[in-house]
Amino acid sequence: MTVYVVQKPDKKKNILSATEYGQLNFILSEDENIMYEPESVISEIKNSLQNFSDDDYLLLIGDPVAIGVATHFALLSNKNNAKILKWDNREYKYYSIKLEV
């Protein structure tokens, strides 16, 4: 199981509790910006998610455009299914949400 983190957060944000769902795999570094190099960043996201499966999760953090692109390629790679992790501010933990398109 892998948790694909769309963009590595800055050092102030602690996402280690997401490791409950799998090993963290950062798609983009914290300083990459899709606005400046869209073709290369989109290609990097697509390549990172080419093996996305039912066992994997997306952690939607970072640039909103990159989040949309990552969700798109995760769904394409896994027959229009993807699981995302949603942070609950009341319980202070992640919950899995299954997307079926």
Side-chain angles (χ1 to χ4, degrees), residues 38-51:
E39 290 178 15
S40 66
V41 172
I42 290 169
S43 179
E44 186 174 353
I45 294 169
K46 180 181 180 179
N47 290 336
S48 295
L49 293 169
Q50 66 185 349
N51 295 318

Side-chain angles (χ1 to χ4, degrees), residues 6 60 63-73:
V6 175
L60 305 178
D63 181 299
V65 176
I67 289 170
V69 172
T71 303
H72 169 77
F73 284 117

Side-chain angles (χ1 to χ4, degrees), residues 8-14 30:
K8 187 174 185 176
D10 61 30
K11 295 181 184 344
K12 293 182 259 179
K13 188 166 225 60
N14 183 346
E30 57 189 275

Side-chain angles (χ1 to χ4, degrees), residues 15-26:
I15 61 169
L16 287 178
S17 61
T19 59
E20 171 186 340
Y21 293 92
Q23 181 177 345
L24 300 181
N25 182 329
F26 298 102

Side-chain angles (χ1 to χ4, degrees), residues 17 21 59 85-97:
S17 61
Y21 293 92
L59 181 52
L85 296 180
K86 168 78 173 110
W87 180 253
D88 186 319
N89 283 325
R90 293 183 186 160
E91 299 290 325
Y92 296 104
K93 65 184 258 181
Y94 288 101
Y95 286 96
S96 173
I97 299 172

